[in-house]
Amino acid sequence: MAGDATCLKTSATQNHHGATATNAMRQQAGLQPVRANNLLAQVAASHACDMAKRGTMTHRGTRTSGPGARVKAAGYRPMVTAENIAAGPFSQSNVLHAWNTSSGHRDNIMIPQVREYGIGQAIGADGRTRFWAAVYAAPK
């Protein structure tokens, strides 16, 4: 349902928690860990807000074609970007678990070049649906 959304700022604790969950998966595969990045969290939160206002889960933003365009617009110079999204009655722990156990989402988590991470959420107009976005990136 489109309409007024509650847009939330990602706390450092939330961003660190997401990076820790991501790193648990990456470590099992022998990959380098990611660092929580505040700018990527702001980009993720902004996209979650955009999705919540529109009432639709999509990688395409109102003014952007995908995560690469959003991180560039925020001043991040990416070598690689990827994004996981979700919408539903998910807590952060629930959404991280869902992404870690979904092959397509896990593929993004496991991109070897990724070095930084940010997560964001917003609450949809219905007051119940949480829209989530996580951005995975590596700077040039």
Side-chain angles (χ1 to χ4, degrees):
M1 161 192 324
D4 290 337
T6 302
C7 299
L8 304 169
K9 184 176 187 229
T10 303
S11 72
T13 300
Q14 289 168 321
N15 210 27
H16 179 73
H17 174 67
T20 299
T22 299
N23 286 334
M25 292 298 296
R26 290 177 65 84
Q27 183 179 18
Q28 290 175 13
L31 296 172
Q32 292 281 329
V34 297
R35 295 179 303 275
N37 179 292
N38 290 333
L39 180 62
L40 294 180
Q42 290 170 11
V43 170
S46 178
H47 185 58
C49 180
D50 183 43
M51 289 189 297
K53 286 177 179 178
R54 293 186 291 151
T56 188
M57 188 177 71
T58 177
H59 291 285
R60 181 173 286 281
T62 299
R63 292 185 215 81
T64 58
S65 59
R70 288 189 282 278
V71 300
K72 287 176 188 173
Y76 188 97
R77 291 180 27 100
M79 176 181 66
V80 63
T81 59
E83 178 179 72
N84 284 343
I85 58 175
F90 303 119
S91 68
Q92 183 176 4
S93 293
N94 293 141
V95 80
L96 292 168
H97 176 74
W99 288 336
N100 285 343
T101 57
S102 160
S103 62
H105 294 100
R106 194 171 48 248
D107 287 348
N108 286 337
I109 292 166
M110 298 299 192
I111 295 171
Q113 297 85 356
V114 166
R115 294 291 176 265
E116 297 180 320
Y117 165 91
I119 192 167
Q121 67 174 308
I123 301 169
D126 65 3
R128 294 183 309 274
T129 304
R130 288 192 182 257
F131 289 81
W132 290 93
V135 177
Y136 309 86
K140 284 188 180 179

